[in-house]
Amino acid sequence: MFPLQRGRRLRVNESIRSLVRETTLSPTDFMFPMFIAEGENIEVVIPSMPGIFRRSIDLTVKEVKEIYALGIRAVNIYVKVSEDLKDNEGVEAWSPNGLMQQAIRAIKASCPEMIVMPDVALDPYSIYGHDGIIANGDVENDSTVAALVKMAVSHAQAGADFVAPSDMMDGRVLRLREGLDAAGFHHVGIMSYSAKYASAFYGPFRDALDSAPKESNVAVPKDKKTYQMDYANRIEAIKEALSDVEEGADMVMVKPGIAYLDIVREVKNAVNVPVTVFHVSGEYAMIKAAAERGWLDHDKIMMEQLMCIKRAGASLISTYFAKEAAILLNK
C-alpha cells in the first residue's frame, strides 16, 4: 500500500512532464523594453547591460520588425534626452516633435500591429533626475500629474496603444484617464506601474538613460523614496494596485520582478485586470555577469526566471531577455 500516490509517475520523461505542465511560456508573454537615442544609424552599447543598446529611431524600427517576426507583440520605450532639452518642468516631454513622439510614429508606421507602450515619467527630461517637478525640496505631486497628462496625450496623438505611467504620483491614473478621454483617446489604455518599489535593482537602467537623481545646488531628494514604495511593504502594493484599477488602469505592473514574486501573486489575487511584471535591468545584469564567469547556465537560468514570473501570476513580462527567450522558444 505504500505509497498509493507517487508523484514521480508524472515526471518519468519530458513527454509526460509536458502533458501536466501547469505554466507555459510563449513569445507573446513578453514585452521588450527599448532605449532610443537621437540621430541616425546610432547604436550605443550599455556596458552594464550586455546585449542591450541605445539605438536611433531608424535602427529601433529595424529591431521592432525583427522581434515582431519572433512573436513578440509589445514594446515599452524610453528615450535618452539631450541635456540641453532638460528642465525642471519636463516641457520637452509633450513636444509634438520630441524624440518619444517621433519614435512612436515611426514604430507604428513600420509595424502597425506592434503594441507600443511609451514610458510616462519626467525623469528623462528632468535636470534633477526625478520623476516629477521639484518644489520646496521635494517632488510636487499635483503639478507633476498635470504635466504627465500633457505627456500622455501627446503620446496618444503620436499613436501609442497604451501609456505607461511609472512615476508613482498619487492620483495620476485618474487624471490620465480623464485627460485621454477629454482629448478623444478613449481607446488608448493605461498600463500603470502600480507597485513600483524604491529598488537598487534599477542601476543599469539609470545608466542607460542617465535618469538617476543628481546633486544640485538647490534642495532635492537624494533618492526616489518619497514616491516609490518601501520594499519592506506588502499590503501597500495591494492598496496601490486596487486604487489604480478604480481610477481606470487597464493593466497594473509590479516592479521589480524576481525579488518580488510574493507581491506579484498578492496583486494577481486582488485585481481583475492583467498584471504586468518588469524583470528589471539589475536582474538581467546579474544573470549576464554570472554567466560570463561560468557560474550559471545563461539560457537555463533565463528561462527558469521567466517561467517563475509567469507562474507567480504575470500576464505580461517586460524583460530585456525578450528577444533571446523568443528565439529559444521558437527553436
Side-chain angles (χ1 to χ4, degrees):
M1 297 293 290
F2 168 82
L4 288 176
Q5 291 292 334
R6 292 182 181 266
R8 292 183 59 188
R9 294 186 192 119
L10 301 180
R11 305 175 199 141
V12 170
N13 55 49
E14 177 56 24
S15 293
I16 293 176
R17 291 191 295 271
S18 67
L19 288 176
V20 298
R21 190 163 288 140
E22 299 173 29
T23 307
T24 59
L25 281 173
S26 81
T28 57
D29 291 322
F30 305 138
M31 177 162 61
F32 193 31
M34 306 184 80
F35 301 118
I36 300 170
E38 295 277 6
E40 293 184 10
N41 199 33
I42 301 296
E43 184 174 79
V44 179
V45 174
I46 301 170
S48 55
M49 300 178 71
I52 302 298
F53 304 87
R54 284 198 306 268
R55 292 187 171 97
S56 51
I57 291 175
D58 54 331
L59 297 186
T60 298
V61 165
K62 180 181 177 182
E63 181 82 346
V64 166
K65 291 178 179 178
E66 291 177 9
I67 64 172
Y68 187 84
L70 292 170
I72 296 168
R73 295 293 179 260
V75 292
N76 197 193
I77 57 176
Y78 305 85
V79 292
K80 174 69 170 68
V81 179
S82 300
E83 290 298 316
D84 61 342
L85 295 175
K86 295 182 179 183
D87 57 26
N88 185 32
E89 287 76 32
V91 173
E92 178 64 16
W94 54 89
S95 168
N97 294 312
L99 182 58
M100 178 68 88
Q101 290 78 4
Q102 292 180 50
I104 295 167
R105 287 195 291 267
I107 293 170
K108 294 302 292 185
S110 65
C111 191
E113 298 304 314
M114 180 64 82
I115 303 302
V116 178
M117 302 192 189
D119 180 58
V120 176
L122 296 185
D123 49 331
Y125 303 89
S126 168
I127 55 175
Y128 303 118
H130 276 284
D131 290 41
I133 297 169
I134 298 295
N136 301 315
D138 199 4
V139 174
E140 209 287 316
N141 193 92
D142 294 3
S143 62
T144 296
V145 170
L148 296 176
V149 171
K150 290 187 281 188
M151 186 179 184
V153 169
S154 77
H155 292 175
Q157 291 169 337
D161 300 283
F162 284 76
V163 294
S166 63
D167 56 286
M168 289 299 287
M169 298 298 110
D170 294 332
R172 91 274 206 213
V173 172
L174 177 60
R175 291 291 181 253
L176 288 174
R177 186 69 271 158
E178 292 173 342
L180 289 167
D181 289 353
F185 294 107
H186 304 86
H187 62 286
V188 174
I190 298 174
M191 182 192 69
S192 173
Y193 288 58
S194 298
K196 182 179 180 181
Y197 285 85
S199 170
F201 281 106
Y202 305 152
F205 175 94
R206 291 175 181 168
D207 292 343
L209 292 185
D210 188 27
S211 61
K214 297 174 176 61
E215 293 185 4
S216 173
N217 56 5
V218 302
V220 297
K222 64 180 174 36
D223 53 40
K224 302 190 177 187
K225 293 181 179 179
T226 67
Y227 46 101
Q228 294 179 359
M229 285 178 50
D230 184 344
Y231 59 70
N233 293 353
R234 176 182 61 86
I235 295 171
E236 183 184 9
I238 303 168
K239 181 188 75 172
E240 290 282 358
L242 288 171
S243 176
D244 283 359
V245 172
E246 290 174 2
E247 291 182 12
D250 301 284
M251 303 185 200
V252 296
M253 177 184 276
V254 175
K255 180 181 181 183
I258 285 296
Y260 294 78
L261 294 186
D262 60 322
I263 307 301
V264 176
R265 174 45 55 185
E266 293 270 16
V267 170
K268 179 68 173 180
N269 289 344
V271 302
N272 58 0
V273 299
V275 176
T276 303
V277 176
F278 205 139
H279 193 215
V280 298
S281 59
E283 295 168 324
Y284 173 88
M286 289 193 301
I287 293 177
K288 290 293 184 181
E292 284 176 4
R293 288 159 177 77
W295 296 343
L296 295 173
D297 184 307
H298 176 279
D299 289 354
K300 289 181 179 178
I301 292 294
M302 171 181 72
M303 298 308 292
E304 181 176 344
Q305 288 204 357
L306 294 172
M307 185 70 80
C308 290
I309 294 171
K310 179 82 181 290
R311 187 195 65 215
S315 303
L316 181 64
I317 305 169
S318 184
T319 176
Y320 302 97
F321 286 117
K323 185 176 182 180
E324 292 175 274
I327 290 170
L328 207 59
L329 288 167
N330 286 334
K331 289 180 179 179

